[in-house]
């Protein structure tokens, strides 16, 4: 969330902006305290969704204010005290034309970019990787549909398992969002996602990707994403699916192509060791970057 405040001087404002920007960047893939807007976008589809929200508000806010003012004016102008003799007017051609053409024009301005966004959501680039996500009560199962298939489950990470998994940092692996096995995908790669369910309806939702797709038993629904920034991104099941619906998180780790290839080769034999090796490599690369600065 971007916080705004009135600073005592330009230096204070600049310092706050840098700190806030770093905080948002560091936690781009998860919600933050007092968040009022979207999570930072990691795909172009998510960026378009954010833009369309701001664009829509340019129409929604003026229309809401106009309607409120008209209501207040009518309440005052046509009250019994100010208008003791009620008007007998039953028709006004100009008003009819205005309140018909006005909404039509506004809806056209909203419909065109809306259809463009919808088209983009269903027009992926040539996918390089296909992952199938199956919702269970209450965890996710994943299958990488590669030459040598890889399957694993992703379950909510319990506090007592954090040390063994090397995930003690709550800022990176928050409670109720962290999982034991993240989905790992390469950056700047179109991923086809097949979503289904084994028992009841679930929903695979990743806010930073602009993706939300229902998983329905007996049906494969298809969506896609192309993450353009490396990082760890969190989502949750977004379809009420039973008593532990709130404990069914989703985690996607976006890494370089080289890191993904090494992880995939190792994960086919030992997913736990592959995850730990990937985390260690990412942490080491961060340490090197900080040391160079």
């Amino acid at each position: 969330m971007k916080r705004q405040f009135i600073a005592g001087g330009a230096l204070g404002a600049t310092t706050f902006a840098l700190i806030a920007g770093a905080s948002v960047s560091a936690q781009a893939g998860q919600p933050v305290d007092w968040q009022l807007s979207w999570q930072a976008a990691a795909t172009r589809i998510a960026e378009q969704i954010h833009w369309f929200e701001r664009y829509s508000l340019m129409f929604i806010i003026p229309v809401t204010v106009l309607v409120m003012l008209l209501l207040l004016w009518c309440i005052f102008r046509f009250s019994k005290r100010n208008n003791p003799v009620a008007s007998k007017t039953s028709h006004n051609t100009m008003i009819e034309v205005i309140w018909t053409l006005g909404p039509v024009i506004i809806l056209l301005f909203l419909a065109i970019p809306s259809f463009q966004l919808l088209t983009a959501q269903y027009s992926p680039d040539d996918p390089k990787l296909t992952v199938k996500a199956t919702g269970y009560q209450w965890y996710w199962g994943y299958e990488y549909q590669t030459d040598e298939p890889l399957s694993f489950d992703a379950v909510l990470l319990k506090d007592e398992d954090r040390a063994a998994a090397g995930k003690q940092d709550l800022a990176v692996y928050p409670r109720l969002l962290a999982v034991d096995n993240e989905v790992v995908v390469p950056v700047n790669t179109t991923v086809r996602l097949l979503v289904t369910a084994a028992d009841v309806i679930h929903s695979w939702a990743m806010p930073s990707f602009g993706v939300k797709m229902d998983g329905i038993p007996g049906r494969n629904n298809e969506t896609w994403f192309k993450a353009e920034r490396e990082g760890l991104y969190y989502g949750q099941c977004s379809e009420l699916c039973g008593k532990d619906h709130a404990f069914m998180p989703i985690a996607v780790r976006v890494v370089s192509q080289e890191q993904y290839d090494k992880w995939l080769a190792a994960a086919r034999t030992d997913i736990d060791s592959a995850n730990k090796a990937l985390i260690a490599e990412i942490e080491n690369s961060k340490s090197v970057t900080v040391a160079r600065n």
Side-chain angles (χ1 to χ4, degrees):
M1 179 186 66
K2 296 182 179 178
R3 298 183 177 89
Q4 296 180 345
F5 71 109
I6 301 176
L11 179 59
T14 302
T15 302
F16 177 84
L18 291 173
I19 294 173
S23 175
V24 170
S25 176
Q27 301 184 13
Q30 59 179 280
V32 297
D33 292 340
W34 301 101
Q35 185 168 1
L36 297 178
S37 186
W38 303 88
Q39 294 180 27
T43 67
R44 294 192 179 182
I45 291 297
E47 290 175 353
Q48 291 182 49
I49 292 173
H50 298 182
W51 173 86
F52 185 68
E53 181 214 24
R54 297 190 295 270
Y55 176 79
S56 300
L57 287 175
M58 294 171 57
F59 296 90
I60 294 172
I61 293 175
V63 168
T64 302
V65 172
L66 175 62
V67 171
M68 182 184 67
L69 292 177
L70 287 174
L71 286 173
L72 293 175
W73 181 75
C74 289
I75 291 171
F76 173 79
R77 173 65 180 81
F78 299 105
S79 65
K80 184 177 181 180
R81 182 182 62 184
N82 296 325
N83 194 48
V85 180
S87 172
K88 299 298 191 294
T89 303
S90 62
H91 184 75
N92 187 300
T93 302
M94 181 57 67
I95 292 178
E96 294 281 353
V97 171
I98 291 174
W99 71 33
T100 300
L101 289 182
V104 168
I105 294 172
I106 292 173
L107 289 175
L108 282 175
F109 275 96
L110 291 173
I112 293 174
S114 175
F115 291 151
Q116 291 174 337
L117 173 58
L118 190 64
T119 300
Q121 288 178 305
Y122 286 92
S123 303
D125 300 329
D126 184 26
K128 305 300 182 183
L129 173 64
T130 298
V131 178
K132 182 177 181 180
T134 303
Y136 300 91
Q137 291 180 310
W138 289 268
Y139 63 95
W140 291 93
Y142 295 99
E143 178 186 343
Y144 283 64
Q145 298 184 352
T146 55
D147 293 337
E148 298 180 41
L150 167 66
S151 299
F152 59 86
D153 294 332
V155 182
L156 176 71
L157 182 64
K158 298 180 180 179
D159 291 340
E160 58 267 25
D161 297 331
R162 286 181 174 275
K167 299 179 179 180
Q168 297 96 325
D169 190 348
L170 290 175
V172 180
Y173 305 100
R175 292 187 69 252
L176 304 183
L177 286 178
V179 299
D180 55 354
N181 300 314
E182 295 92 6
V183 177
V184 180
V185 298
V187 69
N188 293 320
T189 299
T190 302
V191 179
R192 178 196 287 121
L193 183 68
L194 304 178
V195 185
T196 187
D199 34 48
V200 299
I201 298 178
H202 300 278
S203 184
W204 200 94
M206 183 60 61
S208 293
F209 296 172
V211 171
K212 182 179 182 296
M213 180 60 68
D214 283 352
I216 301 174
R219 178 183 300 178
N220 283 329
N221 288 332
E222 182 176 331
T223 186
W224 67 281
F225 62 86
K226 183 179 181 179
E228 299 181 345
R229 291 190 295 108
E230 294 183 27
L232 185 55
Y233 301 92
Y234 292 103
Q236 290 178 295
C237 176
S238 295
E239 189 74 41
L240 187 59
C241 57
K243 70 179 185 68
D244 285 341
H245 163 69
F247 306 101
M248 194 173 169
I250 301 165
V252 177
R253 191 185 292 274
V254 182
V255 298
S256 67
Q257 183 67 50
E258 181 183 0
Q259 291 173 326
Y260 168 75
D261 290 337
K262 290 193 292 187
W263 172 86
L264 184 61
R268 289 193 175 107
T269 56
D270 190 338
I271 185 70
D272 292 334
S273 298
N275 289 337
K276 291 179 181 178
L278 179 59
I279 293 173
E281 182 177 355
I282 293 173
E283 293 299 326
N284 289 336
S285 65
K286 289 181 180 178
S287 301
V288 172
T289 301
V290 171
R292 288 176 178 173
N293 290 337

